């Protein structure tokens, strides 16, 4: 046991094991948000810190007047507590990174973040999936997907502190613990980055096009002389996202997540209420869309199931959200996290199911490929007042701005982790801002170069499905190690391999839909 090891208590009552180093070589450095680096040993005035913590009696300074046998007993006691999980060992670098920089989260923050990540524009295209699946299979698939992803979310919440004294703060870290260092990175890094970056790019496209629609509805013919192009609206939306992205860490965007959650619930409710309150089209039908060949029908159904799977994104952020909370042996972080998640997913259900059922009831298989907003604009643009339509589109814009922040935070964290590991110091304000400006404009350029990204709901759902439906089941078996051949063992292995099989099948359906230009899902096609 190292005699020079000291323990300092974080402000959130979380304990960190810090190797002692020469004080002259570790001057005080503050993170961009003003928080103290974990490597500090001095106060702001340059004097030795004298703050007492519950483990101060184990520090070498306190132990100096005590005899060597007593030192050995106390230091060994500290090591025993760490090994038994009573004290949590944290990586000192975590205090410099956006996700783990602040650990004062709570159940309310967890509810806001989960709602913001779990409901959004993807809810508006679920009725499109119903037009291929019909009433029965549409409701059955949506219900099964909801229960399945709620179970895997519970698994991730429990596995966050599966090993006593260790916290898995990021999805990739948990994958490495379950599958191995190298295999875990290969399996988890691509789908999580693809989901975060792909969602952020899609949000830029949808937010920019919705801003254009909002501007056209508000101004009408008065603003048609020299309007901005769609690409210019993308740039306006990207600039707003970059300004908001300057908030330092995940806890600091809790207010934005609350705004995103409120706007998502509001416009989801407005969309289905407006749809069912109007007269249905005269030629409406609830029979699933038919295709000339069996293969085309099969791929269309797989693509529709991929759309349903994409509606339940957000599991790649569950561990990151939980890592923002303080955790002690008596008050583990999984308790407030699960409490907030249950509230969030109750409201998610109240958004997804009414939109899916009400939207399909209102439009049937006449549902445009763009989803509910396109249907309202196509069928009821003259029946619904312009101010009400404008408010609906404005709420979508606010939700896209908020969702961009939470889905981009893991990417910001990865950028800064690479920088801090190389330089052994936190990012300055300018470096942090530079990373976020760079990422925002990279997403903008990808969206302009590949504008069909927003139409790949089925493909996105298929490629990222293992993150939500498969990997958590495998992780539970490999980390918790339930009794072999028990019900728990069989249940999780079967669910995991079913998730992998569905991922491959839904990806094939998404690729077929992308190739078949008649079935591309263009979310918001601006009117002529």
């Amino acid at each position: 046991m190292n005699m020079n090891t000291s323990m300092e208590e974080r402000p959130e009552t979380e304990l960190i094991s810090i190797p002692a180093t020469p004080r002259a070589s570790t001057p005080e450095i503050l993170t961009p948000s003003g928080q103290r680096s974990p490597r500090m040993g001095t106060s702001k005035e340059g004097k030795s810190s004298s703050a007492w913590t519950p483990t101060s009696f184990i520090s070498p300074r306190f132990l100096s007047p005590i005899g060597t046998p007593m030192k050995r007993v106390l230091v060994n006691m500290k090591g025993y507590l760490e090994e038994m999980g009573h004290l949590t060992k944290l990586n000192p670098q975590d205090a410099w990174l956006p996700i783990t920089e602040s650990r004062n989260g709570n159940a309310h923050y967890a509810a806001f973040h989960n709602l913001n990540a779990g409901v959004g524009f993807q809810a508006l295209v679920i009725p499109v999936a119903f037009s291929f699946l019909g009433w029965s299979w549409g409701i059955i698939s949506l219900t099964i997907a909801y229960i399945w992803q709620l179970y895997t979310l519970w698994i991730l919440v429990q596995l966050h502190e599966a090993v006593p004294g260790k916290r898995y703060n990021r999805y990739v870290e948990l994958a490495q613990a379950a599958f191995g260092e190298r295999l875990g990175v290969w399996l988890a890094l691509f789908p999580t980055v693809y989901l975060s970056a792909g969602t952020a790019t899609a949000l830029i496209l949808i937010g920019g096009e919705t801003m254009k629609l909002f501007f056209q509805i508000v101004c009408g013919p008065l603003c048609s002389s020299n309007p901005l192009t769609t690409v210019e609206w993308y740039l306006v939306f990207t600039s707003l996202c970059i300004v908001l992205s300057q908030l330092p860490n995940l806890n600091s965007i809790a207010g934005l997540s609350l705004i995103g959650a409120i706007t998502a619930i509001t416009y989801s409710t407005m969309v289905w209420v407006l749809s069912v309150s109007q007269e249905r089209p005269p030629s409406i039908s609830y029979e699933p869309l038919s295709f000339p060949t069996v293969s085309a029908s099969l791929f269309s159904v797989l693509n529709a199931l991929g759309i349903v799977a994409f509606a339940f994104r957000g599991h790649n952020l569950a561990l990151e959200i939980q890592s923002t909370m303080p955790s002690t042996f008596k008050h583990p972080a999984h308790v407030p996290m699960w409490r907030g998640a249950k509230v969030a997913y109750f409201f998610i259900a109240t958004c997804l199911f009414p939109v899916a059922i009400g939207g399909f009831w209102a439009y049937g298989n006449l549902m445009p490929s763009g989803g509910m907003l396109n249907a309202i604009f196509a069928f009821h643009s003259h029946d619904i007042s312009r101010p009400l339509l404008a408010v609906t589109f404005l709420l979508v814009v606010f939700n896209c701005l908020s969702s961009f922040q939470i889905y981009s935070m893991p990417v910001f964290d990865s950028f800064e982790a690479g920088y801090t590991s190389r330089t052994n110091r936190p990012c300055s304000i300018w470096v942090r801002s530079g990373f976020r400006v760079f990422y925002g404009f990279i997403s903008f350029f990808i969206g302009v170069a590949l504008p069909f990204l927003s139409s790949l709901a089925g493909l996105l759902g298929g490629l990222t499905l293992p993150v939500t439906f498969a990997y958590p089941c495998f992780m539970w078996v490999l980390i918790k190690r339930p009794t072999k051949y028990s019900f728990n063992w069989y249940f999780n292995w079967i669910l995991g391999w079913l998730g992998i099989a569905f991922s491959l099948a839904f990806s094939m359906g998404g690729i077929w839909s992308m190739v078949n230009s008649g079935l591309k899902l263009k979310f918001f096609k601006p009117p002529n």
Side-chain angles (χ1 to χ4, degrees), residues 175-237:
Q176 288 179 304
F179 304 119
E181 293 290 331
R182 303 184 70 176
L183 183 60
V185 171
W186 280 102
L187 290 177
L189 189 61
F190 170 74
T192 54
V193 171
Y194 181 69
L195 184 58
S196 294
T199 301
T201 303
L203 286 168
I204 288 177
L205 300 179
I206 295 168
E209 291 174 357
T210 309
M211 288 181 72
K212 180 178 180 180
L213 286 177
F214 171 76
F215 188 75
Q216 290 177 348
I217 292 173
V218 171
C219 294
L222 300 177
C223 304
S224 60
S225 58
N226 190 21
L228 295 178
T229 65
T230 303
V231 174
E232 290 171 337
W233 280 112
Y234 293 162
L235 184 60
V236 172
F237 184 84

Side-chain angles (χ1 to χ4, degrees), residues 81 116 140-141 157 181 246 264 314 431 487:
L81 291 174
N116 190 26
I140 290 173
S141 61
V157 171
E181 293 290 331
Q246 302 308 310
V431 172
F487 173 78

Side-chain angles (χ1 to χ4, degrees), residues 89-341:
K89 295 180 181 178
L90 296 178
N91 183 357
Q93 185 189 9
D94 281 345
W96 295 340
L97 302 180
I99 287 176
T100 51
E101 187 178 68
S102 172
R103 291 186 186 268
N104 60 354
N106 51 46
H108 298 91
Y109 285 14
F112 301 158
H113 289 316
N114 279 288
L115 260 173
N116 190 26
V119 66
F121 70 90
Q122 74 277 10
L124 302 178
V125 294
I126 296 181
V128 179
F130 273 51
S131 64
F132 295 103
L133 300 173
W135 275 119
S136 299
W137 286 110
I139 295 176
I140 290 173
S141 61
L142 186 61
T143 304
I144 292 175
Y146 179 80
I147 297 173
W148 191 346
Q149 60 85 35
L150 198 60
Y151 170 67
T152 55
L153 178 65
W154 176 83
I155 288 178
L156 291 176
V157 171
Q158 298 300 316
L159 291 181
H160 178 77
E161 295 171 290
V163 178
K166 170 71 175 176
R167 296 185 70 175
Y168 298 109
N169 297 313
R170 296 160 184 86
Y171 197 98
V172 176
E173 293 178 11
L174 185 61
Q176 288 179 304
F179 304 119
E181 293 290 331
R182 303 184 70 176
L183 183 60
V185 171
W186 280 102
L187 290 177
L189 189 61
F190 170 74
T192 54
V193 171
Y194 181 69
L195 184 58
S196 294
T199 301
T201 303
L203 286 168
I204 288 177
L205 300 179
I206 295 168
E209 291 174 357
T210 309
M211 288 181 72
K212 180 178 180 180
L213 286 177
F214 171 76
F215 188 75
Q216 290 177 348
I217 292 173
V218 171
C219 294
L222 300 177
C223 304
S224 60
S225 58
N226 190 21
L228 295 178
T229 65
T230 303
V231 174
E232 290 171 337
W233 280 112
Y234 293 162
L235 184 60
V236 172
F237 184 84
T238 303
S239 301
L240 293 176
C241 289
I242 291 174
V243 171
L244 292 176
S245 70
Q246 302 308 310
L247 293 171
N249 52 58
L250 191 55
N251 269 339
S252 66
I253 66 170
L256 285 178
S257 292
L258 175 60
I259 294 173
I262 293 174
T263 53
I265 294 172
T266 304
Y267 76 68
S268 297
T269 305
M270 290 177 63
V271 161
W272 73 262
V273 168
L274 289 174
S275 297
V276 300
S277 63
Q278 304 294 324
E279 292 186 4
R280 288 180 290 177
S283 58
I284 190 173
S285 173
Y286 298 111
E287 292 295 324
L289 293 173
S290 59
F291 293 87
T293 62
V294 176
S295 61
S297 299
L298 176 61
F299 282 125
S300 66
V301 169
L302 292 176
N303 182 64
L305 292 174
I307 296 173
V308 174
F310 181 62
F312 298 105
R313 60 199 174 103
H315 280 44
N316 61 311
L317 297 168
L319 293 171
E320 286 79 353
I321 294 170
Q322 191 169 347
S323 67
T324 64
M325 301 179 182
S327 184
T328 62
F329 184 73
K330 290 185 177 180
H331 304 284
H334 70 81
V335 175
M337 175 64 183
W338 184 238
R339 189 183 304 125

Side-chain angles (χ1 to χ4, degrees), residues 32-54:
S33 60
Q35 297 193 0
R36 186 183 297 275
S37 163
R39 299 178 183 268
M40 302 313 118
T42 58
S43 64
K44 291 184 178 181
E45 293 78 10
K47 299 180 181 180
S48 179
S49 176
S50 60
W52 182 87
T53 67

Side-chain angles (χ1 to χ4, degrees), residues 8-63:
E8 294 183 5
E9 187 179 15
R10 295 175 65 96
E12 305 86 84
T13 72
E14 214 165 15
L15 301 174
I16 310 172
S17 180
I18 308 171
T21 54
R23 188 161 297 176
S25 63
T26 55
E28 177 170 302
I29 305 173
L30 295 180
T31 60
S33 60
Q35 297 193 0
R36 186 183 297 275
S37 163
R39 299 178 183 268
M40 302 313 118
T42 58
S43 64
K44 291 184 178 181
E45 293 78 10
K47 299 180 181 180
S48 179
S49 176
S50 60
W52 182 87
T53 67
T55 55
S56 293
F57 66 93
I58 306 179
S59 65
R61 184 182 59 187
F62 188 90
L63 291 175

